[in-house]
Amino acid sequence: MLFQELGKFKRSSIMTSIIWIAVGVLMIICPAQYVNSLVELMGYGLVIFAGVMILDFISSKHVLMNYIYLTCALVVALGGIAVLLDENIVRGIGIVFGLILLVDGITGIFNALLYVRRSQRKSWWILIVMSALMMLFGLIVLVNPWWDDPLKLFDVIGGMLLFSSVVSIVRLIYIWPIRAE
């Protein structure tokens, strides 16, 4: 049972990284005339993702962790709605992705200190450096100088998403508890 859940977690982490890579590449290669359409698509994607999380909450046991997931789903839904309703929707998507990178960086540092350092891996500090860089990139996107040119902003966000997916894969390799014999 435990190994099945760990397998699900591993597959979920790998799929999330693949999705971030695809979104990052799509943002980098997106032509200028399709930027607003892609941003609206991402806003709808956030709302749909939040709806799926809310439906998952309804069908699950109502324990504390599921309430935390529900809260995250409501925040994601509000972010998606804000992206859709904002007049400058590119700015809204920059704020959403900046916050995602910032939270992911904080989570990465927490995981590195809590799990990887205790597992006595020799290069555990690499995860802290990569997560700190991800937090810095998140802050750059939040307070960035590229608001005037949406195409440059999309390139920056796409590159940072690619870096984020690499950090997630490295984190999964370091944290994964089962080593091959």
Side-chain angles (χ1 to χ4, degrees):
M1 181 76 166
L2 176 64
F3 290 115
Q4 290 174 348
E5 292 300 318
L6 286 174
K8 287 180 189 176
F9 175 72
K10 183 178 180 181
R11 282 191 302 272
S12 172
S13 298
I14 291 170
M15 285 307 298
T16 303
S17 295
I18 290 171
I19 290 170
W20 284 129
I21 289 171
V23 170
V25 169
L26 183 66
M27 290 178 85
I28 289 173
I29 65 171
C30 181
Q33 64 265 25
Y34 297 118
V35 168
N36 287 335
S37 299
L38 186 62
V39 171
E40 287 183 16
L41 180 71
M42 289 180 186
Y44 287 123
L46 287 173
V47 171
I48 290 170
F49 179 69
V52 169
M53 287 177 69
I54 290 170
L55 291 175
D56 188 38
F57 169 77
I58 291 171
S59 67
S60 68
K61 296 178 182 176
H62 296 296
V63 295
L64 178 63
M65 194 64 195
N66 290 333
Y67 282 104
I68 293 171
Y69 288 150
L70 176 67
T71 305
C72 291
L74 294 175
V75 169
V76 167
L78 287 176
I81 291 170
V83 166
L84 291 172
L85 296 180
D86 195 5
E87 293 128 11
N88 187 3
I89 54 179
V90 175
R91 180 174 173 250
I93 204 77
I95 290 171
V96 168
F97 278 116
L99 289 174
I100 287 172
L101 287 173
L102 194 61
V103 169
D104 198 18
I106 291 169
T107 304
I109 288 177
F110 177 74
N111 286 336
L113 291 174
L114 189 64
Y115 300 117
V116 180
R117 186 178 68 165
R118 288 184 182 174
S119 69
Q120 298 176 350
R121 302 233 183 189
K122 293 183 195 263
S123 56
W124 64 270
W125 55 273
I126 291 174
L127 271 179
I128 291 181
V129 170
M130 292 175 89
S131 297
L133 281 173
M134 199 160 39
M135 287 175 51
L136 176 69
F137 292 156
L139 286 174
I140 287 172
V141 170
L142 284 174
V143 192
N144 65 30
W146 301 287
W147 290 132
D148 296 336
D149 189 13
L151 195 59
K152 285 183 184 177
L153 178 65
F154 255 46
D155 289 342
V156 169
I157 292 172
M160 290 181 188
L161 283 176
L162 290 173
F163 179 74
S164 172
S165 64
V166 169
V167 171
S168 296
I169 291 170
V170 169
R171 185 184 315 136
L172 179 68
I173 291 170
Y174 273 103
I175 291 177
W176 191 247
I178 302 168
R179 294 187 189 173
E181 298 285 334

